[in-house]
Amino acid sequence: MGQTQTQTADSNQADQKKFLTGAQAIMESLVAQGVTTIFGYPGGAIMPTYDALFDYQDRLKHILVRHEQGAGHAAQGYARMLNKAGVCMVTSGPGATNLITPIADAMLDSTPLVCLVGQVKGNLLGTDAFQECDLMGISMPVTKWNYQIVDPNEIPEIIAKAFYIAETGRPGPVLIDITRTAQSEMMTEPFKYTPCTSIISYNPRIEPKREHLEAAAKLINGAKKPYILAGHGIIISGAEKELNELVDKAGIPVATTLLGMSSMDADHPMYVGWPGMHGNYGANVLTNSCDVLIAIGMRFDDRITGDLSTYAKQAKVVHIEIDPAEVDKNVKADAPVVGDAKAALRALLPLIKPAEHLAWRAEFDAYDKEEYTKITLKDVFHDGDQIKMGEAIAMMSDKTKGEAVIVTDVGQHQMVTNRYYRFKKQNSVVTSGGAGTMGFALPAAFGAKVAVPEREVVAVIGDGGFQMTLQELGTIAQSKLPVKIIILNNNFLGMVRQWQELFHARRYSFVELENPDFITIAKGFGIPGHTVSDRSLLSESLDTLLNSETPYLLEIVCEKEGNVFPMVPAGSSVTNVRLE
């Protein structure tokens, strides 16, 4: 070969190093963004990207789930622990549609996700090609932003935008649909990745307006019966310290929403529990007695408010919320404060006058005493022959000192767990709130454990929800991460059964389950476990679970027709609380 030919060959090799395929650009973009973990499941339309991933295994850890839904929920658990976007990657068609449920779940619970989805070749778009679906149309209602890439040169910029949009303002899921052509073709421009720090058309407000803070402070300082409802926004913004400072300085009773739990120590003297359909008695009833209601990082979901026509009509409302679309949507705010919860509370604290509201706090105590006598004594202590969900959770809370990460599925066990686990450590709750997705907990617990391997992670799941995603036992087994799994088994779809008992004359329509042998199934995946139904063995069984150095499944056979109280019937006033 002559010198000219050699120089030409060298030049071509240099050009090939300078220019990447779209799939390589995806990998380089993720690495540049600081991503370390991807939850995914390969397939035809995403195969070029998986081929590129083969060369990035030293920089990107890929975890193979057993179902695309598992990838989304695992990424949610990961994101919730680290307060940064979880990443999942799946193929087109059914792979993509399987991801829609966790995307919708993430949208409602403000969880940042970046979902990379393969699509058919660009020339086949709109032809109903094999495994093609209109993912832009399908995902638009449940994503914060979505985008279809047909040109590999777009990849770095779009991925940078995706992370910025997912993680800033009110977090949420972003989906990028990437044609197979865009993955396999060479970029015609040199690869360059610049993290996104601003978008002209997207400008979330972080720092609230001074005049709005002053209006809020005036209401709070003049209140005789102020009441704080702290939501998920406290945890998302990392405002736990500021919340505690506000509560201590102003002496204000505080309740946390389901997703806001663990933002306050359960033993704090001003903590009064949680409001909502199965929340605490006083926390619900006294919503309609306070004179100033201070909502922070929550959106007045219907499960919190019940009948809006009777909700807190006597109160002036301060609403601190980063998403302006949520302000005045359900409850009219007298002092709206649009901004990040942490930034808002920092700026608000100097404006707040020290106060004590001990008599007002004591009003909650009377309701707490009645609730304890009528409900908690029966649920936590021995009452009847069968193990109660409440006693199992309370015992587990004591054994973990309230410091474990608790991941719950959806149903009776979810409500019981959040009632009787006494959270002592911040950012310890992972649950499906807005969507109420059965099958959430098992993959989400795994994702949480990947994010914080140093913490104890316990998944609490009902026998119904467990069977929706139990294939993810395979993911957990392959990882060997010691995720602890509790099935509270009552052989019913418990929450539906409770409603049928209370509101449909005990007409149990298709809610009783003939369950498989869960322990044999777990052992089939290589995960040890055992069943306990004898109360005298419950403590020892929990010790075995918690002391295991491997994944472990404990099935607790519970009272079959136990109900969860207190309960505010759907659509009722928050003062209409059933204790039995």
Side-chain angles (χ1 to χ4, degrees), residues 41-47 68 90-98 117-121 124-135 138 148 177-180:
Y41 201 97
I46 196 69
M47 200 173 295
E68 291 88 357
V90 303
T91 193
S92 64
T97 56
N98 283 342
V117 181
Q119 183 55 278
V120 299
K121 292 180 178 180
L124 295 177
L125 288 173
T127 67
D128 293 331
F130 177 66
Q131 292 192 333
E132 181 192 6
C133 68
D134 177 12
L135 195 57
I138 292 171
Q148 185 176 73
D177 192 46
I178 315 171
T179 64
R180 180 161 178 152

Side-chain angles (χ1 to χ4, degrees), residues 39 68-88 98-115 172-173 232 259 405 407 427 429-441 443-449 451:
F39 302 91
E68 291 88 357
Q69 182 180 351
H73 291 322
Q76 283 182 277
Y78 183 91
R80 294 270 278 273
M81 284 293 96
L82 298 180
N83 269 333
K84 69 176 187 178
V87 178
C88 51
N98 283 342
L99 198 60
I100 292 298
T101 292
I103 290 174
D105 192 289
M107 186 69 174
L108 282 165
D109 286 349
S110 305
T111 304
L113 295 183
V114 172
C115 307
H232 194 196
L259 293 176
V405 175
V407 186
N427 197 15
V429 175
V430 180
T431 193
S432 173
T437 304
M438 292 178 69
F440 170 87
F446 172 70
K449 186 66 175 177

Side-chain angles (χ1 to χ4, degrees), residues 144 164-165 167-170 197-207 322-324 338-340:
K144 191 175 177 184
Y164 179 71
I165 292 170
E167 294 178 341
T168 57
R170 178 181 178 180
T197 57
S198 66
I199 299 174
I200 293 175
S201 60
Y202 169 70
N203 188 27
R205 176 177 290 279
I206 303 301
E207 298 293 337
I322 198 166
D323 184 356
V338 176
D340 175 75

Side-chain angles (χ1 to χ4, degrees), residues 312-325:
K313 291 301 179 183
Q314 80 296 334
K316 297 292 184 181
V317 176
V318 175
H319 193 181
I320 300 173
E321 170 59 46
I322 198 166
D323 184 356

Side-chain angles (χ1 to χ4, degrees), residues 239-306:
E240 293 93 341
K241 177 176 178 288
E242 289 76 11
L243 174 64
N244 278 266
E245 288 177 1
L246 174 62
V247 169
D248 292 340
K249 183 176 184 179
I252 304 176
V254 55
T256 55
T257 66
L258 185 68
L259 293 176
M261 279 191 165
S262 79
S263 59
M264 289 289 298
D265 187 322
D267 291 334
H268 192 288
M270 299 307 288
Y271 180 66
V272 298
W274 58 299
M277 180 171 285
H278 291 283
N280 294 92
Y281 192 16
N284 274 314
V285 171
L286 291 177
T287 304
N288 280 11
S289 296
C290 67
D291 58 357
V292 175
L293 184 64
I294 307 145
I296 309 171
M298 56 88 73
R299 58 188 177 85
F300 290 111
D301 176 77
D302 66 289
R303 284 295 190 263
I304 293 290
T305 65

Side-chain angles (χ1 to χ4, degrees), residues 210 213 217 221 242 245-246 249 343-354:
R210 177 73 181 186
L213 290 166
N221 290 331
E242 289 76 11
E245 288 177 1
L246 174 62
K249 183 176 184 179
L345 290 179
R346 275 182 177 173
L348 182 65
L349 274 164
L351 306 178
I352 299 298
K353 297 177 181 178

